[in-house]
Amino acid sequence: MGGIAIKNTPVPFFIRPITTRVAGGIRTNYLDPNFDTTFSFLEGQLKTSPGGGKYLCGSNLTAADILISFPLIAAKGRGGLLPAEKYPLLRAYVDMLEEEEGYKRSIAKVEEVDGKFSAMI
């Protein structure tokens, strides 16, 4: 995700081609392959969840689901980073996590304290 921020950082016009190329190289050669490896692993984990469960470790929500929810929800918020066509189970899983009552309460609490909520990292 860092390559995206670098690419959109304001820089003098004569330096922009360099930063754009560096950011594109970072994304293409490092970030995208790592995202693909991680997302493919999680997609496979959901396919083989114990007892046919809807969560990573079975039919109950666990700390593993809560911890992985933060980066996955942020990835979903970054358009195109977590495409439903490539990762249908993972995308449905993230949608389901966002509908969890505890998640909704936590967002409401953040908005109460901070006035806004952003899943972007």
Side-chain angles (χ1 to χ4, degrees):
M1 291 182 214
I4 296 167
I6 292 170
K7 194 172 184 176
N8 296 328
T9 301
V11 295
F13 74 93
F14 56 89
I15 296 177
R16 176 152 304 280
I18 297 168
T19 59
T20 300
R21 185 176 177 117
V22 168
I26 291 169
R27 177 142 189 190
T28 301
N29 295 314
Y30 178 73
L31 295 175
D32 287 344
N34 281 300
F35 289 141
D36 188 48
T37 299
T38 301
F39 295 159
S40 295
F41 169 79
L42 291 170
E43 182 85 6
Q45 187 66 28
L46 289 168
K47 280 182 188 172
T48 60
S49 179
K54 60 183 184 174
Y55 298 104
L56 290 174
C57 300
S59 57
N60 297 315
L61 183 70
T62 66
D65 300 295
I66 293 167
L67 289 171
I68 199 68
S69 71
F70 299 107
L72 290 177
I73 290 169
K76 179 184 169 192
R78 299 268 188 186
L81 194 55
L82 187 61
E85 309 80 48
K86 190 169 183 179
Y87 309 106
L89 292 176
L90 192 55
R91 191 59 185 266
Y93 171 74
V94 173
D95 292 341
M96 179 187 67
L97 290 175
E98 289 179 312
E99 292 302 314
E100 288 284 336
E101 192 56 41
Y103 179 78
K104 290 179 181 181
R105 283 194 313 267
S106 69
I107 289 176
K109 188 64 172 178
V110 168
E111 289 173 342
E112 176 186 318
V113 171
D114 196 33
K116 63 180 178 193
F117 173 79
S118 174
M120 303 300 259
I121 293 177

